[in-house]
């Protein structure tokens, strides 16, 4: 009867209105804080700091200046290789190209055809065919997309009802500049340690990257909304 839990429950039942009032105040306070909550789904939050795979990926991205991309699936009601479906796909691609932040869009209309008909090395200098070319044999194109070691299972589904559009986004150089500055200091801190001046620089670099990441994330959300509208 004298245990702490018994005394706690006794107090709860002795002052129910006070306890309910306090709980109501706490709930209201938490509800008001909801707009301030943010979810960080970046690579930094999903892997451990110093992850080797992430370091290699970022080094390759830096070296080759790779771009991020969105992938859209397109499943027309008519045959995928019919004229109306391809015209619709071309219109969709062109609308996406007009969006700010989009650098290019890759579709089945834009990839070079090497087996429709087969192209030799000598013919490559004369140019290759594309699906949009008026003289392209669409039957051969279908076979190429299904059997080509380059395109198989990448551009069209096995039932030939769905294709993809790769929307490439303009590379944000400011983002990668701030990221590189922060990561260099973090790497030095792990390997050799930092002096007081470098610790200040690391804090400033982390704060600058964090602030810009929020701006970049907001811009990306707007772009995704625009893509969905298209």
């Amino acid at each position: 009867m004298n245990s702490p839990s018994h005394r706690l429950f006794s107090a709860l039942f002795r002052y129910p209105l006070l306890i309910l009032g306090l709980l109501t105040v706490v709930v209201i306070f938490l509800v008001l804080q909801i707009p301030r909550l943010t979810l960080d789904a970046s690579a930094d939050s999903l892997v451990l700091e110093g992850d080797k795979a992430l370091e290699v990926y970022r080094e390759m991205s830096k070296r080759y200046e790779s771009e991020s991309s969105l992938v859209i699936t397109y499943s027309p009601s008519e045959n995928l290789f019919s004229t109306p479906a391809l015209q619709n796909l071309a219109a969709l691609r062109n609308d996406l190209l007009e969006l700010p932040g989009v650098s290019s869009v890759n579709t089945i209309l834009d990839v070079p055809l090497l087996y429709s008909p087969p192209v030799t090395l000598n013919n490559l200098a004369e140019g290759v065919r594309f699906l949009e070319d008026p003289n392209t044999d669409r039957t051969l194109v279908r076979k190429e997309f299904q059997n080509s070691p380059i395109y198989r299972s990448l551009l069209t589904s096995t039932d030939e009802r769905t294709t993809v559009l790769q929307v490439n986004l303009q590379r944000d150089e400011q983002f990668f500049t701030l990221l590189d500055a922060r990561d260099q200091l973090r790497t030095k801190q792990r390997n050799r340690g930092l002096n007081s001046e470098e610790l200040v620089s690391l804090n400033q670099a982390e704060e600058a990257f964090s602030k810009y990441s929020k701006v970049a994330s907001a811009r990306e959300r707007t772009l995704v909304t625009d893509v969905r509208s298209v």
Side-chain angles (χ1 to χ4, degrees):
M1 297 295 291
N2 294 322
S3 66
S5 59
H6 178 76
R7 291 196 296 270
L8 174 62
F9 280 108
S10 297
L12 290 177
F13 287 111
R14 190 177 299 122
Y15 308 105
L17 295 179
L18 176 61
I19 299 302
L20 287 175
L22 291 174
L23 288 175
T24 301
V25 171
V26 171
V27 170
I28 292 175
F29 173 78
L30 293 176
V31 169
L32 293 175
Q33 300 306 309
I34 288 178
R36 299 186 179 184
L37 293 177
T38 59
L39 177 62
D40 183 8
S42 65
D44 286 325
S45 65
L46 300 177
V47 298
L48 295 174
E49 184 176 334
D51 182 86
K52 295 299 181 184
L54 180 60
E55 289 180 1
V56 171
Y57 167 74
R58 284 178 170 165
E59 179 61 30
M60 293 302 101
S61 298
K62 178 181 176 182
R63 180 180 302 176
Y64 297 105
E65 297 188 350
S66 58
E67 299 176 326
S68 299
S69 62
L70 300 173
V71 176
I72 303 170
T73 57
Y74 170 67
S75 303
S77 55
E78 55 273 297
N79 184 291
L80 178 60
F81 292 93
S82 66
T83 298
L86 295 180
Q87 289 176 341
N88 218 20
L89 179 61
L92 179 59
R93 175 197 60 192
N94 295 338
D95 288 343
L96 291 169
L97 282 170
E98 295 296 322
L99 295 178
V102 173
S103 62
S104 63
V105 179
N106 295 325
T107 70
I108 56 176
L109 303 173
D110 309 291
V111 296
L113 303 173
L114 305 178
Y115 297 94
S116 305
V119 179
T120 64
L121 290 176
N122 293 331
N123 292 336
L124 281 176
E126 302 173 4
V128 294
R129 289 181 181 273
F130 294 88
L131 183 51
E132 281 187 300
D133 295 342
N135 297 325
T136 299
D137 188 331
R138 295 180 185 177
T139 301
L140 292 178
V141 175
R142 293 174 63 176
K143 292 181 179 179
E144 178 169 355
F145 288 161
Q146 289 294 320
N147 302 317
S148 165
I150 302 175
Y151 300 139
R152 183 174 59 240
S153 300
L154 291 177
L155 298 178
T156 60
S157 59
T158 53
D159 60 7
E160 296 184 341
R161 294 178 57 85
T162 302
T163 186
V164 296
L165 300 88
Q166 181 189 31
V167 182
N168 297 309
L169 311 181
Q170 293 174 0
R171 182 177 171 85
D172 189 340
E173 296 297 344
Q174 178 70 4
F175 177 89
F176 287 101
T177 298
L178 294 173
L179 174 66
D180 187 51
R182 186 205 66 177
D183 286 352
Q184 284 187 15
L185 288 169
R186 281 185 173 182
T187 300
K188 186 176 181 181
Q189 184 182 40
R190 287 195 306 270
N191 297 337
R192 301 192 300 273
L194 300 176
N195 58 38
S196 57
E197 193 173 307
E198 290 171 330
L199 283 173
V200 172
S201 297
L202 175 59
N203 291 333
Q204 292 174 343
E206 289 179 335
E207 183 178 358
F209 177 75
S210 178
K211 288 182 178 179
Y212 190 81
S213 293
K214 294 177 182 178
V215 175
S217 296
R219 187 167 56 240
E220 288 179 355
R221 287 195 296 272
T222 300
L223 177 58
V224 171
T225 300
D226 293 340
V227 168
R228 285 175 172 159
S229 297
V230 171

